Amino acid sequence: MKHYKITGGNLLSGEISVHGSKNAALPILAATVINNGKSIIHNCPNLSDVRNMLEILNLLGCRAEFVGRDVIVDSSGFSPKDIPYDIMKQTRSSSLFAGALLARGKRALISGSGGCCIGRRPIDLHLRAFGEMGADIIPTGDGILCVADCLRGSKIILDFPSVGATENIMIAASLTPSTTVIYNAAKEPEIVNLADYLRSVGVIIKGDGTGEIHIKGTCTPKDGEVEVVGDRIVAATYLTAVACSGGSIKIKSIDPGHLSSVIASYRKMGMSIGVDGDEIEVSRQTRLVNLPNIITSPYPGFPTDCQPLIVAAMTTSYGIGIVNERIFENRLGHCERLRRMGANIETTGRCAVVRGVYSLSGADVSSCDLRCGAALVCAALGAKGESVVSNISYIDRGYENLCDSLKILGAKIERIELNE
Ligand code: EPZ
């Protein structure tokens, strides 16, 4: 089992570039099935979740491989087949293939894409939308089968601005010449990045980044090309690392507008944050002050993926911080781990109350999910003494070489192998 061994107390300095966004790359990779041709995806992050998606693409007959920092996909060899449960189960976002398989292969079997430790992760909004587009939705012993000879343009109102459902509908509608409209659509930057890719293959899309998206598909898709945007959650993680350990760094290759709610919150806590083009300069010289009103909400609100991160920063900030997790029903697992490091956190339901202590102490902690792991690493950077963070395979899902990046910034961190 791989772990991170971290000795806290170093002030961070230097500069670091943010890699491409996991949550932008995954839906784009799923969408490459539809164009029966080549796609070049620039700045694609080399993460375990991405490699799982490439494995699925190759299983579907679409040759997909990394060439340097790009991924090249050739979907001309696509042969429709059901994705096996054990592969679907590995990556939640495998459910994003449903829209592409339905559009191109007229059939999609969705299995194993449900629940994880942060919540049930249902796909009812995806399925309801496919039904409105003319698909038959058939529960089977192996999962839920969606079948459609020909999808039709529809007006779809989402009960909740689900990121995955918005993406699946956009992809499913991409080969349908009549127009599909999504109301109450997700507005995340990753949605806009997916729309950029779909436009490159000839789909006409308007309104991406707003709550109303119009998609007019194409019967003759072309070769596609797109540049994956910088990962806003990774950038927020580096902000949090400085919040926890102090120092001053420059974060590059990121659109600061993509994490404006996080920057605003950290500024209110007392961090000095400057933005210029695709760079963020951040420093923390004095003790931060906690905020009583962090509520996670759909973009452009405070991102749920940054909730564990700001809780980690709150543990040693002055006063009482209150965080409400409104997106996922079970996303406070990091609090128990942070308490092991000496944090004073009470949780009731989806709310965490953090009473800042002067400093945390190093401890052995295990991550329970991707962003919990990142939060524990940040907390350990500022803690007194040595911490071991285990289950870091969760972290590998969303961060390329987090250990090396933090070392560049002056952190004392090692990736170690421990025999269990
Ligand atoms: C995406 O997940 C991200 N994953 C998540 O990032 C992110 O936390 C989430 O959006 C919210 O921003 C990827 O993009 C791969 P949702 P997704 O559909 O699409 C409920 C990370 O750490 N819902 O917007 O699954 C759902 O239960 C990950 O990088 C339904 O009820 O999120 C949840 O409560 C974690 N029915 C809420 O909506 C549905 O059919 C948000 O889900 C779909 C969703």
Side-chain angles (χ1 to χ4, degrees):
M1 288 274 276
K2 291 196 171 45
H3 305 253
Y4 285 141
K5 186 169 77 173
I6 299 165
T7 305
N10 288 14
L11 293 178
L12 300 183
S13 62
E15 50 185 64
I16 193 78
S17 285
V18 172
H19 58 67
S21 162
K22 165 179 85 80
N23 291 348
L26 297 177
I28 289 169
L29 285 167
T32 60
V33 166
I34 65 166
N35 74 335
N36 186 27
K38 280 206 170 44
S39 297
I40 304 177
I41 300 159
H42 300 290
N43 192 35
C44 191
N46 194 337
L47 305 163
S48 56
D49 270 11
V50 167
R51 294 190 291 272
N52 284 337
M53 295 291 268
L54 298 190
E55 181 189 348
I56 295 173
L57 282 168
N58 283 296
L59 182 89
L60 294 168
C62 306
R63 238 187 23 259
E65 57 182 348
F66 266 103
V67 177
R69 300 293 306 166
D70 300 342
V71 162
I72 315 283
V73 184
D74 179 351
S75 63
S76 57
F78 170 73
S79 59
K81 65 166 67 70
D82 293 340
I83 303 168
Y85 170 84
D86 55 339
I87 294 182
M88 281 287 267
K89 190 79 186 149
Q90 281 171 6
T91 308
R92 197 122 357 260
S93 33
S94 52
S95 59
L96 290 170
F97 277 105
L101 291 175
L102 203 45
R104 184 161 182 207
K106 305 185 185 314
R107 169 194 170 99
L109 177 68
I110 307 175
S111 63
S113 67
C116 66
C117 65
I118 63 173
R120 279 188 317 112
R121 311 300 291 273
I123 54 168
D124 56 308
L125 299 177
H126 303 236
L127 298 173
R128 200 185 311 161
F130 292 155
E132 287 170 33
M133 296 172 79
D136 294 327
I137 310 297
I138 310 152
T140 73
D142 300 328
I144 298 174
L145 181 60
C146 309
V147 180
D149 250 350
C150 180
L151 291 172
R152 59 173 180 263
S154 313
K155 293 187 186 322
I156 296 165
I157 302 171
L158 288 176
D159 293 351
F160 177 85
S162 156
V163 172
T166 301
E167 290 163 346
N168 241 336
I169 298 164
M170 288 166 71
I171 299 168
S174 288
L175 300 180
T176 301
S178 52
T179 296
T180 291
V181 185
I182 309 172
Y183 297 100
N184 196 26
K187 305 173 186 171
E188 274 72 0
E190 296 80 32
I191 302 287
V192 176
N193 211 185
L194 172 62
D196 288 339
Y197 168 72
L198 293 172
R199 275 187 281 264
S200 79
V201 303
V203 182
I204 298 170
I205 300 188
K206 293 191 177 13
D208 45 294
T210 76
E212 182 177 323
I213 304 177
H214 293 239
I215 306 111
K216 182 174 174 18
T218 172
C219 297
T220 55
K222 311 174 289 178
D223 288 354
E225 186 166 7
V226 74
E227 169 102 13
V228 176
V229 293
D231 193 312
R232 59 195 171 99
I233 312 299
V234 170
T237 304
Y238 292 130
L239 288 178
T240 306
V242 174
C244 293
S245 64
S248 174
I249 68 169
K250 182 185 281 188
I251 304 166
K252 305 195 304 184
S253 310
I254 184 66
D255 179 342
H258 289 173
L259 58 157
S260 48
S261 58
V262 179
I263 289 172
S265 298
Y266 277 139
R267 278 177 173 156
K268 280 186 206 146
M269 289 179 73
M271 293 186 79
S272 155
I273 303 177
V275 299
D276 176 20
D278 69 345
E279 295 183 350
I280 299 172
E281 294 219 45
V282 56
S283 71
R284 197 260 297 168
Q285 309 303 341
T286 57
R287 192 182 185 193
L288 301 179
V289 178
N290 273 329
L291 302 175
N293 53 0
I294 295 292
I295 300 171
T296 62
S297 59
Y299 193 87
F302 192 91
T304 173
D305 293 349
C306 294
Q307 179 264 109
L309 299 172
I310 200 164
V311 167
M314 286 180 161
T315 57
T316 53
S317 299
Y318 177 78
I320 295 177
I322 300 176
V323 172
N324 260 290
E325 171 54 58
R326 293 278 176 85
I327 303 292
F328 288 109
E329 62 269 32
N330 188 30
R331 195 173 202 171
L332 294 176
H334 47 287
C335 296
E336 174 209 325
R337 279 92 175 160
L338 291 168
R339 279 195 286 267
R340 276 176 59 82
M341 299 173 79
N344 181 339
I345 308 177
E346 287 169 41
T347 55
T348 47
R350 298 187 180 189
C351 177
V353 178
V354 187
R355 287 174 174 77
V357 296
Y358 202 66
S359 82
L360 297 183
S361 308
D364 291 1
V365 285
S366 67
S367 30
C368 61
D369 69 73
L370 164 55
R371 307 302 173 184
C372 164
L376 295 175
V377 168
C378 290
L381 292 174
K384 277 195 173 57
E386 186 177 281
S387 299
V388 174
V389 179
S390 53
N391 284 351
I392 60 174
S393 55
Y394 282 118
I395 299 175
D396 292 342
R397 290 186 47 208
Y399 295 83
E400 250 189 35
N401 303 322
L402 181 62
C403 182
D404 297 343
S405 304
L406 291 171
K407 263 188 203 165
I408 289 168
L409 296 174
K412 197 163 181 217
I413 178 171
E414 292 299 327
R415 189 183 176 99
I416 57 172
E417 188 89 30
L418 288 182
N419 300 324
E420 295 305 301

